[in-house]
Amino acid sequence: MLRIKVTYADRIGRLPKYIFAAIEELKAEKKREGIDLILLGIGDPDLTTPEFIVNELIEQVKRPENQNYPTSMGEQDFREAVSRWYKVRFGLDLDSGKEVTHLLGGKEGIANIARAFVNPGDVVLCPNPGYPVYENGATKLCDGNPYIMPLTKENEFLPDLDAIDKRVLKRIKMMYLNYPNNPTGAIAPMEFLKKASDFAEDNGFFIVYDNPYSEFTFDDYIAPSILQVSENHVEINSVSKMFNMTGFRCGWAAGNSDIVEGLRKVKSQIDSGGSIFIQKAVIKGLDQYTSEKKPEIVQKNMKIYEERRDILVNGLNDMGWKTEKPVATFYVWTPIPEGEKDDMEFVKKLINVGVVITPGVGFGEHGKGFVRFALTQPIEKIKEALERISKVI
Ligand SMILES: Cc1ncc(COP(=O)(O)O)c(C=O)c1O
């Protein structure tokens, strides 16, 4: 049979090259050599979904009425639960009919929102380093132009809004912001959010506030919602990190009803929603919240991550690698040690001793010179990783 020649759409060609191939190869080689790799690369919680949520899911999946197609916008009781959560968590009143919509995890919403609002050539402000979906899955796959906002250590990993080229202002359609931030672990003060919101409103665009780490905060820090500043914007969140439910694919978009409506229009043509039984189980989780404080189940998780964070960061500092403790997220973002020249090369060195972390360049060009640790291994493994790292630096 003669094989037909397929050609990708031009937009596929605009996606960046897959830079992790060399790392994947090295990992496979080390595995073949019998080295047990300590995986501190991927931001997927090793802690498990709370038992009461899993039990609820089992009960709900047995019910025939929960076994049919869901609605793309999410079940009424799920949207009401999200709305209740915004009330107790942030003091906001959201109309579950118009201002909340279900997502198959935050990632899907981040990408699909661009389909509803970005025309070819439109500008989308994207933080860099940042979650790659803003630039790629969202903007480039909609033929938009990502405008890079560098997040630098000097500016506490907040974008310098005054530095944005005035010539692009009229073409900006939306701006992605994400605090608590992946990969930097940075948080945004309320004054910054106010400034960003004013800037967006003055220039006629909206903010897509990606907030999946809103509950992943240490000490007494309580992360805000962009909707507390202005309901002109839209916020995306999910239970992936909140309740260790990355595999369940359940999240939401909330805020400005026109934006929510745009997202619904797109999604209703693409997906048929998330399983009803998952949404019902998630309601149980969200209803644990009775105030802005994290419920016990989330606090317990954060205590575990806090201990891991302290052991890792203290350990790195003890060996002379200057590293700061994040106030939020389960990531430790740090410049490569003195004397090292390139984050990718440094990561390869660590894989050689069986420790896998992520090179900063994986989050964009402004991530170069940094690496990211994910605190997704138990303490013994983190200690073992420190032991191995000490042999390299
Ligand atoms: C910044 C950021 N946004 C969004 C997501 C997507 O999460 P999910 O699709 O599981 O809700 C992640 C996941 O790691 C993330 O780090």
Side-chain angles (χ1 to χ4, degrees), residues 252-289:
W252 59 84
N256 183 331
S257 57
D258 295 330
I259 305 174
V260 167
E261 180 57 22
L263 190 52
R264 281 184 181 173
K265 279 184 199 291
V266 168
K267 281 173 57 60
S268 65
Q269 299 293 332
I270 294 175
D271 68 61
S272 298
S275 314
I276 297 173
F277 45 89
I278 292 179
Q279 295 185 47
K280 304 266 183 207
V282 165
I283 293 172
K284 284 271 167 194
L286 291 176
D287 279 345
Q288 292 293 301
Y289 277 80

Side-chain angles (χ1 to χ4, degrees), residues 130-271:
Y131 189 53
V133 184
Y134 311 141
E135 278 182 47
N136 304 323
T139 310
K140 288 185 185 168
L141 287 186
C142 289
D143 299 326
N145 289 330
Y147 180 95
I148 303 302
M149 302 188 293
L151 303 188
T152 63
K153 193 166 171 14
E154 298 70 49
N155 207 33
E156 297 181 337
F157 302 114
L158 297 168
D160 180 359
L161 301 174
D162 300 323
I164 292 169
D165 189 338
K166 303 286 176 285
R167 289 169 301 184
V168 304
L169 287 180
K170 282 206 171 66
R171 287 191 292 133
I172 300 173
K173 215 47 191 285
M174 52 192 209
M175 162 162 68
Y176 285 101
L177 285 180
N178 159 232
Y179 296 96
N181 183 261
N182 174 18
T184 68
I187 55 170
M190 220 45 177
E191 306 82 73
F192 171 79
L193 295 187
K194 177 88 180 77
K195 183 173 175 174
S197 173
D198 290 348
F199 176 64
E201 286 169 358
D202 289 348
N203 289 290
F205 65 88
F206 62 86
I207 297 171
V208 180
Y209 199 73
D210 182 24
N211 209 358
Y213 302 98
S214 64
E215 309 314 294
F216 255 62
T217 56
F218 299 113
D219 311 316
D220 294 330
Y221 178 67
I222 294 175
S225 159
I226 192 71
L227 305 177
Q228 289 170 302
V229 175
S230 162
E231 292 189 17
N232 266 323
H233 310 296
V234 70
E235 178 158 289
I236 290 179
N237 206 333
S238 79
V239 289
S240 289
K241 308 289 153 75
M242 204 180 286
F243 298 120
N244 305 321
M245 293 178 76
T246 49
F248 290 68
R249 311 314 299 139
C250 185
W252 59 84
N256 183 331
S257 57
D258 295 330
I259 305 174
V260 167
E261 180 57 22
L263 190 52
R264 281 184 181 173
K265 279 184 199 291
V266 168
K267 281 173 57 60
S268 65
Q269 299 293 332
I270 294 175
D271 68 61

Side-chain angles (χ1 to χ4, degrees), residues 297-345:
I297 192 85
V298 182
Q299 271 181 36
K300 229 167 78 189
N301 271 354
M302 291 317 292
K303 271 273 157 259
I304 295 172
Y305 288 122
E306 187 176 330
E307 207 180 336
R308 293 176 180 181
R309 174 198 68 170
D310 292 348
I311 287 172
L312 178 72
V313 173
N314 293 340
L316 294 176
N317 282 323
D318 285 348
M319 59 180 96
W321 182 352
K322 291 190 195 81
T323 304
E324 285 168 30
K325 284 184 188 166
V327 188
T329 75
F330 57 6
Y331 302 118
V332 172
W333 178 252
T334 182
I336 51 178
E338 270 170 41
E340 296 293 336
K341 289 197 182 63
D342 180 84
D343 46 290
M344 188 64 111
E345 290 311 309

